[in-house]
Amino acid sequence: MSFNICCVGAGYVGGPTMAVIADFYPEILVNVVDINEERINSWNHKDLSKLPVFEPGLEDIIKRARNKNLFFSTDIKSGIKNADMVFISVNTPIKKSGVGAGQASDLRWVESCARQIRDFSQGHTIVVEKSTLPVRTAETIKSILEFSDNKKDDISIAKTYSVLSNPEFLAEGTAIEDLKNPDRILIGGEDEKSISILVDIYSKWVPKSKILCTNLWSSELSKLMANAFLAQRISSINTVSAICESTGANVAEVSKAIGMDSRIGDKFLNAGPGFGGSCFKKDILNIVYLSRYYGLGEVADFWESVIKINGWQRNRIYKIIVEKLYGNLATKKIAILGFAFKANTNDTRESPAINICNNLLKEGAFLSIHDPKVEPNSILKCFKGLIGEDYSQNNIKIEARIIDTVLNADAILILTDWEEYKNLDFQELSKKMRKPAWLFDTRGIVNVDEIKKTDLKFWKIGYGN
Ligand code: NAD
Ligand code: UGA
């Protein structure tokens, strides 16, 4: 193998991204390393259904590349030492305390990763920021790398570095497809030679016209802004859903009409319970923090409103449920369909389901929860530290079958847009429920004509009547 890549961080980004690189480029050796032993063991699990990340198409790639030119390990030192290029793909959550708490990124994992690279690397190493980072983080990384000790005995060649930014735009649930056919690959940096090495890797399967090279700071900022623009569209359409419900318009029709304008486009116009996932909120908060730091208060307020609307939409939905169920959820059972933050992923980070379910628990409801991919323990963990935690022990049951989930329930609440929820036999399900029974469709996925054939009362997001 002539070229050696190490990726630090075997998460939702590191694992799938490196798997695709290894698959398209068998001549490159790819080592994915992580401090989390359990995660690495899962990546190495013989049973591919036990991989730590569920993504359509991922298992096939892992089957082809693992232990050929793709390796998962906790041996961070060797991984970095042998690498020509190190990807930093670690988590970058929001700071919980101290300066910038609640808005700024917590860079402790990025910093520790930079120190590992400084301590373990040999010769020239291209360091690639794959994590989503605040603008000018490359400066922090460079300043840590500057202090490499070139005098240690075991160093035969002097350590040198060049730092590139190469943010990831994959979305969970479609990660493999996004990685195989990206809209663009963005590379920010100054060192032409390193840039061209990274361009060559992607060129193996991405047309050169889709590979965009910019300066470091534009690259870092573009990643944050792309997420902010996407999230802004969701908040916008969610405000429209409320107007539709008040006026008798239908948000699905309005979305279609708006989206057919080629200047607007039809993507990311589905109203729902608000955006979830680990990144939209944190990346916008980062922009808010950055804007305030540079004295751009109005800019910060503009982006902050996207997050405010997101929280408002969740609360609005929860209040509608309480109101429709006569203002009382005590002694009522609500069947929750879907807990992942979107379909085709087992990820629950920032899922709208967490907040909505917690509020329902606080009202005294009993929740039976179904999700096709999220592990029961992962669902229960989401209630840790929340006000509903005390109740969650006795008032939550995780079910494997939809029919058991709805048994004697007073309402069905669809929270994730899983394909299998779109064409359920609601006539049959309704028979198992306590009457009067409700269906709340926060994803706008059920067929209203079919529901009208049942004795279910129903509410669908943005469906005014
Ligand atoms: P993740 O939490 O799933 O994975 C990060 C991994 O890094 C963890 O397994 C953790 O143990 C490991 N880690 C942390 N510090 C380490 C260290 N010093 N040495 C070795 N391992 C270390 O996170 P993720 O969802 O993969 O996201 C990673 C980054 O990519 C974030 O910055 C995120 O904003 C960005 N991003 C995420 C997505 C997504 O869909 N999840 C998409 C695009 C970009
Ligand atoms: C998002 C971006 O789409 C990726 O480009 C980016 O790389 C990634 O964040 C990241 O940086 O982490 P992801 O969060 O995985 O990807 O999933 P999305 O498809 O963007 O969905 C985010 C949330 O918005 C989900 O809760 C989804 O249900 C919701 N959504 C999405 C809507 O409510 N309506 C829509 O029309 C689209």
Side-chain angles (χ1 to χ4, degrees):
M1 303 269 172
S2 54
F3 198 78
N4 190 317
I5 287 178
C6 173
C7 174
V8 184
Y12 282 86
V13 170
T17 309
M18 293 304 126
V20 169
I21 291 180
D23 198 34
F24 274 111
Y25 216 141
E27 297 80 17
I28 291 183
L29 181 68
V30 182
N31 279 300
V32 188
V33 296
D34 203 295
I35 37 174
N36 184 335
E37 196 175 346
E38 199 185 324
R39 214 166 207 187
I40 290 297
N41 289 342
S42 304
W43 279 112
N44 284 323
H45 209 289
K46 272 191 199 145
D47 177 355
L48 291 170
S49 71
K50 299 277 190 308
L51 294 180
V53 170
F54 168 74
E55 279 295 338
L58 178 63
E59 290 182 15
D60 288 343
I61 297 182
I62 296 291
K63 203 163 146 189
R64 278 197 298 273
R66 196 175 60 186
N67 298 332
K68 291 198 180 87
N69 66 326
L70 174 68
F71 297 87
F72 294 92
S73 151
T74 50
D75 187 353
I76 298 170
K77 185 173 180 178
S78 302
I80 292 175
K81 191 174 166 189
N82 298 324
D84 302 295
M85 180 179 273
V86 179
F87 283 84
I88 298 179
S89 192
V90 300
N91 36 320
T92 51
I94 291 296
K95 263 182 101 171
K96 289 203 175 109
S97 57
V99 176
Q103 286 189 339
S105 284
D106 188 341
L107 291 179
R108 75 179 79 177
W109 292 276
V110 173
E111 212 186 299
S112 76
C113 189
R115 288 174 200 278
Q116 287 163 337
I117 297 171
R118 181 194 63 189
D119 294 344
F120 305 144
S121 63
Q122 280 201 334
H124 185 68
T125 310
I126 302 169
V127 179
V128 185
E129 297 174 343
K130 185 50 100 181
S131 296
T132 304
L133 298 167
V135 187
R136 300 200 80 86
T137 304
E139 215 160 53
T140 309
I141 295 173
K142 281 181 190 174
S143 75
I144 291 172
L145 296 175
E146 248 172 46
F147 284 87
S148 60
D149 182 357
N150 268 322
K151 293 186 194 82
K152 273 190 185 159
D153 293 346
D154 60 340
I155 292 171
S156 45
I157 316 160
K159 297 181 185 206
T160 52
Y161 305 95
S162 56
V163 179
L164 303 179
S165 158
N166 171 223
E168 185 48 61
F169 295 99
L170 69 80
E172 289 179 30
T174 53
I176 301 302
E177 203 35 52
D178 296 341
L179 288 162
K180 283 161 114 177
N181 295 304
D183 285 346
R184 78 308 211 176
I185 294 292
L186 181 56
I187 300 173
E190 291 135 10
D191 175 21
E192 294 299 331
K193 195 171 168 209
S194 304
I195 293 171
S196 81
I197 292 173
L198 191 53
V199 169
D200 283 348
I201 292 174
Y202 284 113
S203 303
K204 195 85 179 169
W205 74 96
V206 181
K208 280 240 167 73
S209 57
K210 286 190 171 184
I211 303 178
L212 182 67
C213 297
T214 66
N215 81 27
L216 269 170
W217 323 127
S218 301
S219 174
E220 290 176 339
L221 182 59
S222 301
K223 170 62 199 177
L224 295 175
M225 292 318 306
N227 274 358
F229 268 65
L230 291 170
Q232 174 268 121
R233 278 174 76 95
I234 299 170
S235 280
S236 298
I237 202 66
N238 284 341
T239 65
V240 178
S241 71
I243 301 176
C244 287
E245 288 159 33
S246 301
T247 58
N250 178 347
V251 75
E253 292 174 351
V254 177
S255 287
K256 188 166 183 193
I258 298 173
M260 283 173 79
D261 186 325
S262 59
R263 292 168 302 175
I264 296 172
D266 60 0
K267 305 242 170 68
F268 271 70
L269 285 179
N270 292 322
F275 53 80
S278 60
C279 295
F280 279 175
K281 187 173 164 194
K282 87 169 164 62
D283 292 348
I284 296 177
L285 286 170
N286 227 294
I287 293 166
V288 171
Y289 185 72
L290 183 86
S291 306
R292 293 237 158 84
Y293 178 82
Y294 285 108
L296 303 168
E298 288 77 3
V299 177
D301 293 346
F302 172 76
W303 288 110
E304 201 162 37
S305 73
V306 172
I307 297 176
K308 281 190 186 148
I309 289 292
N310 203 47
W312 167 81
Q313 178 79 338
R314 285 172 190 183
N315 284 337
R316 188 175 83 78
I317 288 172
Y318 139 68
K319 284 179 189 156
I320 287 171
I321 298 167
V322 176
E323 186 209 312
K324 301 280 188 206
L325 297 180
Y326 311 123
N328 164 43
L329 299 191
T331 72
K332 293 208 171 106
K333 170 174 167 175
I334 302 184
I336 306 293
L337 295 191
F339 205 82
F341 80 95
K342 62 183 279 196
N344 290 322
T345 178
N346 59 346
D347 195 347
T348 59
R349 289 178 290 180
E350 295 288 333
S351 175
I354 301 172
N355 179 278
I356 293 175
C357 288
N358 194 46
N359 278 329
L360 298 176
L361 286 170
K362 281 195 267 173
E363 294 282 341
F366 178 87
L367 306 181
S368 57
I369 305 179
H370 174 270
D371 190 284
K373 286 290 171 201
V374 183
E375 293 287 332
N377 267 343
S378 306
I379 295 178
L380 293 173
K381 262 191 209 159
C382 291
F383 294 96
K384 280 229 148 64
L386 298 181
I387 299 175
E389 189 182 356
D390 294 345
Y391 304 101
S392 63
Q393 303 293 328
N394 302 320
N395 288 0
I396 293 180
K397 190 160 184 235
I398 316 291
E399 296 284 5
R401 299 187 326 150
I402 294 173
I403 197 83
D404 299 326
T405 316
V406 306
L407 192 66
N408 297 324
D410 297 276
I412 293 173
L413 171 57
I414 299 177
L415 288 177
T416 310
D417 46 341
W418 284 104
E419 197 59 37
E420 66 186 270
Y421 298 155
K422 291 185 182 165
N423 294 307
L424 288 171
D425 185 345
F426 285 104
Q427 294 214 27
E428 276 309 303
L429 294 182
S430 168
K431 286 182 196 158
K432 310 280 176 202
M433 299 173 72
R434 188 166 84 148
K435 301 291 155 39
W438 274 87
L439 168 65
F440 297 96
D441 175 11
T442 72
R443 293 286 183 169
I445 56 174
V446 299
N447 181 330
V448 170
D449 293 334
E450 289 301 316
I451 301 304
K452 281 182 179 163
K453 290 181 197 159
T454 72
D455 58 359
L456 287 170
K457 292 165 171 285
F458 78 95
W459 173 90
K460 178 174 172 174
I461 190 113
Y463 182 78
N465 52 20

